Amino acid sequence: MAKSPVAITMPVEDGLPIGWLTDLVVNAEQAGIDTALVGEVAGPEVFATLGAMAARTERIRLGSGIVAAYTRSPALTAMGFATLASLAPGRIVAGIGASSPIVVGRWHGGDFEQPLATVREFTSLLRAALAGEKLNHDGPRFRSKGFRLDLPPADVPIWLGAINPRMLALAGEIADAVFMTWCPPAEVAPKREIVEAAAANSGRDAADVSTVLSFWAYAGPDPEQALERMRRQVLAYAMVPTHQPAFVETFDNLPEVAAAWQDGDRAKALSLVPDEAVLAQCALGPDMLADRIATYRAAGADLPIVLLTGAHIGDDIGPQATVDALSNIAAP
């Protein structure tokens, strides 16, 4: 199989030290991996982590995957990305998204309201700030008067996280790339059609909006335990209201699983998640990993992104093994 660009997302939910994650990115750069992303859930803070990685690397592209549009102001977010761009010019991308009611509302005490309008307004202000413009904005969600970066303007592409049709269309209107996740290969083309139609309706060239796509994968020595870990991950994300539509096509018994979850019987809900639903969204083992990357590319993904996961919390062997497997796939 011909080598082509691949990316990784750090296992930020696995309780691993930042120094180890940074070493992993150094290894990924040596393996020829194109891009490394850092998500933000309840572990590493994204900008500090990316800064540590930028200081230790020379070539690999680095970015967020994703930063929520609710938990920082556009001005502060622009400061973060401009700082990274000053440290690693030409190597920084901004993955932006709405996140979820759990993260925004329960954890950060915000109001997860009007995600489409919020992301649109946030992205517009972020672009303006990164371009060196002075912000004078009094909008429905954000206000900023007189802010201007004291760093040079930063050319930072914006990748917009999108699962549902309206956010996919927004990506076509305003983003440099649509960032798909929880998207089986068969769903890439129809989702891409939504992006392209929105781009055309906005007067943009659809070719200017690339498609990046992340999926969970494990190619380490403990596939049985990793499968059970992935089962829990699939269940947890499938029960998030904003994410649940992404699982309808691959989860034949989704209503039954959701009913058990709503009744508080999490063990029953987990037992009802079939292997097929897990493996439709995740890849297990080096052969499936290579095949899934090729399938995603054939389906229209410009950059497949492997979200590294361990077989268990604290697993520092599985993610490195997956990076090693990717070294046989990635273009240098």
Side-chain angles (χ1 to χ4, degrees):
M1 182 180 66
K3 291 188 176 184
S4 55
V6 295
I8 56 173
T9 294
M10 293 294 101
V12 298
E13 296 179 83
D14 285 11
L16 295 163
I18 306 307
W20 187 89
L21 293 174
T22 302
D23 288 343
L24 184 62
V25 170
V26 172
N27 294 340
E29 180 174 67
Q30 294 170 351
I33 288 171
D34 179 88
T35 303
L37 302 179
V38 176
E40 190 171 61
V41 186
E45 193 278 335
V46 67
F47 290 106
T49 306
L50 287 170
M53 293 172 174
R56 292 273 312 279
T57 56
E58 297 178 355
R59 177 199 58 79
I60 194 168
R61 187 166 49 173
L62 301 167
S64 56
I66 63 170
V67 163
Y70 291 84
T71 53
R72 294 177 182 82
S73 71
L76 182 60
T77 307
M79 290 165 60
F81 283 117
T83 301
L84 292 170
S86 179
L87 180 60
R91 292 201 287 134
I92 304 301
V93 297
I96 304 296
S99 190
S100 72
I102 294 171
V103 172
V104 174
R106 293 186 198 174
W107 295 359
H108 291 277
D111 297 321
F112 190 79
E113 297 176 349
Q114 299 181 313
L116 199 73
T118 298
V119 170
R120 182 189 293 275
E121 187 178 348
F122 180 95
T123 302
S124 175
L125 291 169
L126 176 61
R127 278 201 188 279
L130 287 171
E133 298 177 17
K134 180 181 288 188
L135 299 187
N136 283 296
H137 179 81
D138 187 1
R141 294 289 302 189
F142 302 104
R143 291 176 295 280
S144 182
K145 184 176 181 180
F147 172 84
R148 177 178 281 159
L149 278 172
D150 286 334
L151 287 165
D155 182 12
V156 178
I158 293 178
W159 296 0
L160 182 58
I163 292 175
N164 299 320
R166 292 197 301 165
M167 199 65 77
L168 289 163
L170 183 62
E173 292 181 39
I174 68 172
D176 298 296
V178 57
F179 191 162
M180 299 182 188
T181 190
W182 297 118
C183 178
E187 297 181 21
V188 175
K191 288 185 175 182
R192 179 67 199 180
E193 289 176 1
I194 296 171
V195 174
E196 292 178 353
N201 290 338
S202 301
R204 302 182 70 195
D205 185 343
D208 292 338
V209 187
S210 60
T211 299
V212 302
L213 187 150
S214 71
F215 64 99
W216 297 69
Y218 175 88
D222 196 352
E224 291 184 4
Q225 189 174 7
L227 177 62
E228 295 312 309
R229 175 97 192 278
M230 289 175 172
R231 195 186 315 278
R232 293 192 296 273
Q233 291 163 336
V234 166
L235 174 64
Y237 279 90
M239 295 302 102
V240 177
T242 51
H243 292 40
Q244 196 165 106
F247 295 85
V248 170
E249 296 298 324
T250 56
F251 233 125
D252 292 339
N253 61 338
L254 185 58
E256 184 183 6
V257 175
W261 182 274
Q262 291 299 324
D263 289 342
D265 194 342
R266 303 299 166 81
K268 179 181 179 181
L270 184 63
S271 72
L272 291 170
V273 178
D275 290 355
E276 293 79 10
V278 178
L279 297 178
Q281 302 275 6
C282 309
L284 189 62
D287 292 341
M288 187 182 295
L289 173 61
D291 179 72
R292 190 64 56 87
I293 287 173
T295 303
Y296 272 125
R297 282 203 159 275
D302 297 300
L303 182 66
I305 304 169
V306 177
L307 200 160
L308 305 173
T309 186
H312 54 82
I313 298 295
D315 177 12
D316 61 359
I317 296 174
Q320 181 60 65
T322 305
V323 168
D324 292 342
L326 288 171
S327 67
N328 297 319
I329 303 167

